[in-house]
Amino acid sequence: MRYNYKNLFASQHEKFTAILGQDYFSSLLVEDDLSDSAIIVTDKRVYQVGKLYEARQRSRIGSHRAGRGKKIVSLMDITGTSSKEVSRPVPGSALIAFGVLSATLGLLSDVRQSTYIMLGIALISIAAGVWLILKLRKRYLVIEYAGGSMAQPVKFITDSELNLFQGIISDEKEKLISGAADSKECPNCGEKIQLSAKICRYCGEEQKDLSTEESR
Ligand SMILES: [Zn+2]
């Protein structure tokens, strides 16, 4: 799956701000292959594309489920960002359970030699289980919005890098909130201009005054 501006963004006038993809902050969005997954921030919306992860805060096992496609959330709906480390303990737990079973069978055995062998197997599988649980831990950047959350697995990670990405989202959201109050989109070119503007500063289109238009 390949994405670019044209088929990714919901509107033509959106400006790409940042991408959190396989390569962290990966370049500019030109023709990135986003088949794995990425979170893309524009000045209006946040997109999750490729593999979709949903953070399920309550369940301990399998906190993230992957689907495929594209999810779009308005920047205004973003309530916050956080990061969390989630372990996927199922394979590890299975190994540990197998180890405990081996140990039990070994202790029940009358033959001393097989007891030793079973205890040896038990020790190895329990150690391997613990190692797996630790190794399968993954860190996610979680973006929360009204009604849900999206998650992006991340490899790198220093807290300052995470803060940077969270900061970008907050900045864009603040700009959007403060800009929405006293600006509008030019009907001719779509650029954001002052609400009181009589002429668009981008394309020169004369702006109709809504109040006089109604009285005509
Ligand atoms: Zn214009």
Side-chain angles (χ1 to χ4, degrees):
M1 226 189 291
R2 278 182 178 270
Y3 288 99
N4 56 39
Y5 287 112
K6 280 170 216 142
N7 56 17
L8 179 63
F9 296 159
S11 101
Q12 253 183 302
H13 309 292
E14 254 165 277
K15 287 191 187 65
F16 168 73
T17 305
I19 177 170
L20 181 67
Q22 301 95 310
D23 308 320
Y24 178 63
F25 277 141
S26 49
S27 64
L28 282 177
L29 184 69
V30 185
E31 275 241 339
D32 259 319
D33 181 359
L34 302 172
S35 51
D36 272 353
S37 89
I39 286 175
I40 295 163
V41 183
T42 74
D43 57 347
K44 292 191 178 73
R45 298 177 181 88
V46 176
Y47 298 82
Q48 187 183 24
V49 293
K51 262 187 203 161
L52 302 186
Y53 293 84
E54 193 114 17
R56 282 189 280 155
Q57 313 287 0
R58 272 177 209 148
S59 66
R60 263 174 291 157
I61 296 174
S63 294
H64 298 81
R65 171 195 266 171
R68 194 159 270 286
K70 177 165 83 172
K71 199 191 289 179
I72 306 174
V73 178
S74 159
L75 254 185
M76 293 292 207
D77 289 339
I78 303 294
T79 55
T81 51
S82 59
S83 80
K84 63 180 195 169
E85 198 169 54
V86 179
S87 59
R88 289 176 294 170
V90 179
S93 307
L95 266 178
I96 290 174
F98 174 75
V100 171
L101 186 71
S102 308
T104 314
L105 289 175
L107 291 173
L108 287 175
S109 169
D110 290 335
V111 186
R112 178 163 290 201
Q113 208 173 3
S114 67
T115 302
Y116 287 147
I117 291 172
M118 291 303 263
L119 284 179
I121 290 173
L123 205 69
I124 291 168
S125 27
I126 289 173
V130 170
W131 180 79
L132 258 188
I133 286 176
L134 293 178
K135 213 210 160 199
L136 285 183
R137 272 168 171 271
K138 234 182 186 182
R139 205 150 179 201
Y140 292 84
L141 173 72
V142 180
I143 296 175
E144 290 141 32
Y145 55 90
S149 59
M150 49 173 80
Q152 171 68 24
V154 281
K155 284 177 198 153
F156 57 96
I157 278 246
T158 62
D159 282 339
S160 65
E161 281 174 320
L162 265 183
N163 288 339
L164 187 58
F165 196 76
Q166 291 170 19
I168 290 172
I169 293 177
S170 316
D171 279 359
E172 289 302 320
K173 191 184 168 181
E174 262 167 46
K175 269 190 237 165
L176 198 62
I177 291 170
S178 65
D182 52 16
S183 74
K184 63 170 183 174
E185 273 184 9
C186 168
N188 187 47
C189 70
E191 291 290 346
K192 198 169 272 184
I193 55 172
Q194 294 289 311
L195 196 60
S196 55
K198 295 216 165 67
I199 290 171
C200 173
R201 67 190 178 101
Y202 296 98
C203 69
E205 176 85 357
E206 200 175 321
Q207 303 295 310
K208 284 174 188 165
D209 191 336
L210 291 176
S211 55
T212 57
E213 197 176 66
E214 273 168 26
S215 62
R216 256 175 223 168

